[in-house]
Amino acid sequence: LWALLEAAFYLGQVVFGRQTWTGPVQTYWSISIMIVVVALVGYIFQDQRATADEHAQLHGELTAARQVQRTLMPEKLDVAPGMALSVAFLPASEVGGDFYRCRILKNGSQRVVIGDVSGKGVAAALTSALLLGAADRCDDLPPASVLKALNLALRYSMIGGFTTCLCADLSPDGSLRIANAGHLPPYRNGEELPLINSLPLGVVDRIDYPQTPLQLASGDRLTFISDGVVEARNAARELFGFDRTRQISTRPAQQIAEAARLFGQEDDITVLTLTLAPVVVPA
């Protein structure tokens, strides 16, 4: 509007020679203002165009990062014989800080690694990629040593931040070895496992993570979750909480994740269930 008014005044003063409003000083003043307005409009246009280009580039980078993350955490899981696995992964944005890994070890055990990187976005996704790569080189180590190796990998990377992580090995006979670095304990048949907790990865250089041995019975089910489940928040700012999580912890992974998402997702949601299949006795 300012530019249009100044343009009308400029046309009246200079083009049509109407000198009735003011003298020559005002004419030059009007011309100066017009130059400033045109320069400002040009600058704003250029700035908006640069911002749009940056957004497009960032969107492309986020899409690429998400594709990499999906490759590192495939939907088709590596499942040991005699066990059942299912997983649901719902990032809060284009890429997330949650990660998981399911591997069959040489002794036939099923390994599950689940973690949550502090922060969000590309930086968190890169940290999770670093830790997943380090975890792939730890197949010969017990869970406590795996966490120790991941902690050193994160500290030596100089990335900063911290990561909660849990590593569990389940043998076909039901023996379970599990170590926890600040992550939420899993549920066993709807009840939270009593684990010794420890500091998250990346906090201190040298730390020994305690390892808890447990024995599962045939048909027992473990449910691993990230804090995006319990920290889901509805419109009234009410948390989904631990009670609701425990009550639905025996449901399939996708149902648990969807319940948290519908309640009000604010963070990445990861749910992984591991079941020791019942032994079929021939009739």
Side-chain angles (χ1 to χ4, degrees):
L1 180 61
W2 182 24
L4 290 175
L5 289 173
E6 288 296 332
F9 180 78
Y10 175 76
L11 289 173
Q13 290 287 90
V14 179
V15 178
F16 298 107
R18 296 177 180 176
Q19 303 293 329
T20 55
W21 290 349
T22 186
V25 173
Q26 183 61 39
T27 299
Y28 294 121
W29 175 256
S30 178
I31 293 174
S32 301
I33 291 177
M34 281 296 299
I35 293 174
V36 172
V37 170
V38 171
L40 285 174
V41 171
Y43 171 78
I44 292 172
F45 176 78
Q46 184 180 8
D47 183 67
Q48 291 296 321
R49 186 170 183 175
T51 302
D53 291 341
E54 290 177 0
H55 286 170
Q57 181 180 0
L58 179 60
H59 178 73
E61 293 175 353
L62 288 174
T63 302
R66 186 170 189 176
Q67 290 175 349
V68 171
Q69 190 171 50
R70 287 292 185 182
T71 302
L72 292 172
M73 297 186 295
E75 294 181 359
K76 185 177 181 181
L77 304 175
D78 194 14
V79 185
M83 301 183 193
L85 262 172
S86 65
V87 65
F89 175 55
L90 303 177
S93 57
E94 289 287 338
V95 290
D98 284 6
F99 62 91
Y100 61 86
R101 173 68 87 237
C102 303
R103 295 178 70 87
I104 303 174
L105 303 181
K106 294 179 181 178
N107 61 3
S109 297
Q110 176 70 58
R111 168 161 292 175
V112 170
V113 177
I114 184 172
D116 182 5
V117 180
S118 61
K120 296 181 179 66
V122 176
L126 292 176
T127 302
S128 65
L130 167 73
L131 293 173
L132 285 173
D136 286 345
R137 300 189 294 270
C138 298
D139 286 356
D140 296 331
L141 300 178
S145 299
V146 172
L147 295 185
K148 188 173 183 178
L150 296 185
N151 178 65
L152 292 177
L154 183 57
R155 292 290 293 176
Y156 290 157
S157 70
M158 305 300 291
I159 292 178
F162 64 90
T163 299
T164 66
C165 189
L166 185 148
C167 180
D169 289 352
L170 178 60
S171 300
D173 63 0
S175 59
L176 176 70
R177 297 183 299 172
I178 187 167
N180 191 14
H183 201 77
L184 294 178
Y187 294 87
R188 174 186 179 182
N189 301 331
E191 296 296 331
E192 185 177 295
L193 282 179
L195 298 182
I196 302 174
N197 209 344
S198 191
L199 291 174
L201 308 177
V203 177
V204 295
D205 287 339
R206 302 292 178 181
I207 182 173
D208 292 323
Y209 292 94
Q211 184 169 287
T212 304
L214 295 168
Q215 183 65 40
L216 300 188
S218 177
D220 277 357
R221 174 178 180 163
L222 297 175
T223 302
F224 304 84
I225 63 170
S226 65
D227 58 9
V229 176
V230 297
E231 292 179 1
R233 197 183 297 267
N234 61 17
R237 310 310 296 165
E238 179 186 9
L239 287 172
F240 192 78
F242 289 97
D243 288 340
R244 289 188 181 92
T245 302
R246 180 182 55 79
Q247 291 170 9
I248 66 172
S249 62
T250 57
R251 297 182 185 177
Q254 192 63 45
Q255 289 186 18
I256 298 172
E258 191 65 16
R261 185 189 69 81
L262 292 175
F263 191 83
Q265 181 178 5
E266 291 192 343
D267 198 359
D268 304 327
I269 293 174
T270 303
V271 181
L272 191 150
T273 60
L274 172 61
T275 305
L276 186 63
V279 177
V280 179
V281 179

